Amino acid sequence: MTTDPLSAIETAEAVRTGARGALDTLDAAFDRIDDLDPALHAFTTLLRADGRSAGAVVDAGPVEERAGLPLAGVPLAIKSTVTLENPVVAPLVAAGAVPVGITAAPQLCTWGMTDSDAHGITRNPLDVSLTPGGSSGGSAAAVASGMVPLAVGDDGMGSLRIPAAACGLATIKPGRGVVPTRLGRDNWGYLAESGPLARTVADVALALSLMASLPELADVDEVPDGTRIGVSTDSPIRLGRDLVRVHEPWKRAAREAADRLRGDGLVVVDTPLPAPRDPFLYLARWTSAVARAAEEENLPLSAMERRTRHHALLGRTVFRRGGAGDGDTRWNRAAEVLRADIVAVMETAGVDVWLTPALANVPPEATDWHRRSWGRSMWASMQFSPFTPLANVLGWPAATVPCGVTHTPLGRRLPTSVQLMGRPGSEATLLALAAVIERNDDDTVDTR
């Protein structure tokens, strides 16, 4: 597979200085897509005309104008739920980014595996036998394969962080309202936020600073003085006992990241992260969000895939309207109780940020999960990704960054990753901590 080794920042610098043209960079990206995507199914639509129009604008501008474009000529992949018209994309294009295509997602963005009847099976560039995760799996596959250096996705229960961790990328789900995104009527029941995917933390920080109109987020050089980190590798889904096993390579990744942060002079303490008191909280929020998305898109049950139909039915009939009273009110209260529990532990332990594994295991196989039962898809999603829903339920920012390495069932090297989560407004701190972990990561992953 042919890849472009340049990051988004390096690509923009080459275009700004005239070492590359935006249209030449775009043509090279389309060549890579034509070469790689038939095997990966990352893209559903290529935006050749839109891309050439945007690239021509960058090339036609005077030198001093190009010098002011932080993403000059950077090929950009866009998740289908975000689209060119979304307000998170406009500032990236205004900064010089060039849209190349729309990327694949599972139906209604429901699952942690990206496959569907409509677009086939999307595969992980690091091991094509595995899924790239979901639901922003197409965006992650596009970046991890080197087809593009930057992509936009969204995250409703981990849909940025899961594929980033599965494909060895960096990302951040910003806190609620930081990025002015439009993802349906109420952004998946106020769970979902849009964010960037890239191969480096610096690229993620730059893109987020533009999407949020907060230039200070681009600076990841310094962690705020006095920042303390609580590290937890406990299973986050428990009902008297652990319902999901966290496999050792992912626990090791968290411990290794903690050591890297300590080596940078930061205080890191082992602090168990509270789990929801109501074990159905995550499932209720997940299914209710899918039911809302179906209503927003006027998608009837008869048009849904088998697994998604059952998911939406649960959200509609059990968790939103079933039982006594208003289901949403019950789950809002449960989320507030969980938030209070977590804040109390943070105050007692004196920690500002949580560090956990990003995943619990390697991604599931890339196959036709959309033709399998709801139970099999749900269990597969939950078994490898139990850590991400918490940040969505709380509305807090959370980032993932590669740290360490494991092996896939076929023996391929696969990066492990960690998650960093903080209270509202901590995006800059999370990115700075991720940059510390990234700087000390000497592991390389064979992507041939």
Side-chain angles (χ1 to χ4, degrees):
M1 292 184 177
T2 59
T3 62
D4 188 342
L6 296 185
S7 67
I9 289 174
E10 291 167 338
T11 299
E13 178 65 16
V15 173
R16 284 194 299 266
T17 60
R20 286 185 172 193
L23 285 174
D24 291 338
T25 302
L26 175 66
D27 288 340
F30 280 131
D31 286 344
R32 292 191 297 275
I33 292 169
D34 291 340
D35 180 27
L36 302 176
D37 202 50
L40 297 177
H41 290 272
F43 288 93
T44 63
T45 306
L46 295 183
L47 303 172
R48 295 185 189 271
D50 293 287
R52 292 201 67 79
S53 177
V57 169
V58 173
D59 281 344
V63 172
E64 59 271 19
E65 189 173 298
R66 285 203 308 273
L69 296 176
L71 292 177
V74 173
L76 175 69
I78 302 167
K79 187 180 179 181
S80 57
T81 49
V82 180
T83 76
L84 275 173
E85 293 72 35
N86 197 291
V88 301
V89 175
L92 300 178
V93 175
V98 178
V100 300
I102 305 301
T103 58
Q107 189 177 53
L108 295 177
C109 297
T110 306
W111 304 102
M113 303 81 77
T114 298
D115 58 275
S116 67
D117 273 328
H119 304 300
I121 299 168
T122 303
R123 297 181 180 275
N124 192 321
L126 306 185
D127 185 330
V128 295
S129 72
L130 303 180
T131 180
S135 64
S136 304
S139 288
V143 175
S145 64
M147 288 188 273
V148 297
L150 182 66
V152 173
D154 55 59
D155 189 315
M157 288 292 275
S159 293
L160 280 165
R161 290 161 290 149
I162 294 169
C167 295
L169 303 175
T171 194
I172 185 167
K173 179 199 80 68
R176 191 170 294 159
V178 171
V179 167
T181 194
R182 281 199 308 265
L183 298 169
R185 183 176 54 214
D186 57 6
N187 288 3
W188 243 50
Y190 305 103
L191 293 176
E193 305 293 335
S194 295
L197 283 153
R199 295 195 296 269
T200 70
V201 173
D203 281 356
V204 168
L206 173 60
L208 182 67
S209 74
L210 295 166
M211 296 165 74
S213 298
L214 295 171
E216 61 272 20
L217 292 180
D219 183 5
V220 296
D221 289 337
E222 291 189 17
V223 178
D225 289 341
T227 299
R228 290 168 56 95
I229 301 97
V231 59
S232 177
T233 62
D234 292 346
S235 175
I237 301 179
R238 303 192 285 274
L239 184 60
R241 61 182 181 85
D242 293 351
L243 294 182
V244 175
R245 174 191 171 196
V246 183
H247 290 249
E248 180 56 31
W250 300 89
K251 291 183 177 181
R252 185 170 63 243
R255 293 194 296 266
E256 184 175 336
D259 288 342
R260 294 179 189 183
L261 295 173
R262 290 189 184 100
D264 210 59
L266 293 159
V267 176
V268 184
V269 295
D270 290 329
T271 309
L273 182 61
R277 296 186 190 180
D278 191 326
F280 294 107
L281 173 60
Y282 293 159
L283 182 62
R285 279 291 184 240
W286 184 12
T287 57
S288 297
V290 172
R292 283 188 170 89
E295 292 167 2
E296 177 71 17
E297 295 185 19
N298 293 316
L299 186 68
L301 292 172
S302 60
M304 295 183 197
E305 296 165 354
R306 174 188 176 192
R307 58 179 182 170
T308 307
R309 180 169 61 252
H310 291 169
H311 210 72
L313 272 171
L314 269 177
R316 179 188 299 178
T317 62
V318 176
F319 292 116
R320 286 180 66 188
R321 293 196 290 267
D326 182 354
D328 281 344
T329 298
R330 172 185 172 181
W331 305 116
N332 288 339
R333 289 172 177 164
E336 288 303 318
V337 169
L338 177 59
R339 181 182 291 106
D341 288 346
I342 290 172
V343 169
V345 172
M346 294 175 77
E347 296 292 339
T348 300
V351 300
D352 309 288
V353 171
W354 291 100
L355 168 66
T356 71
L359 299 177
N361 200 2
V362 297
E365 65 175 324
T367 188
D368 56 352
W369 289 99
H370 57 281
R371 294 177 181 167
R372 302 188 181 192
S373 70
W374 172 80
R376 291 184 70 181
S377 285
M378 192 195 73
W379 187 241
S381 291
M382 191 171 70
Q383 283 289 98
F384 92 105
S385 179
F387 288 99
T388 56
L390 174 59
N392 301 90
V393 169
L394 298 180
W396 290 8
T400 58
V401 63
C403 180
V405 69
T406 186
H407 290 85
T408 72
L410 293 183
R412 301 296 301 273
R413 285 164 57 85
L414 186 77
T416 45
S417 294
V418 296
Q419 175 178 245
L420 295 155
M421 183 184 74
R423 283 186 262 197
S426 63
E427 285 84 0
T429 299
L430 301 183
L431 290 165
L433 291 169
V436 171
I437 295 169
E438 179 186 63
R439 275 199 305 270
N440 292 289
D441 192 350
D442 296 325
D443 291 310
T444 58
V445 179
D446 179 12
T447 60
R448 290 177 297 171

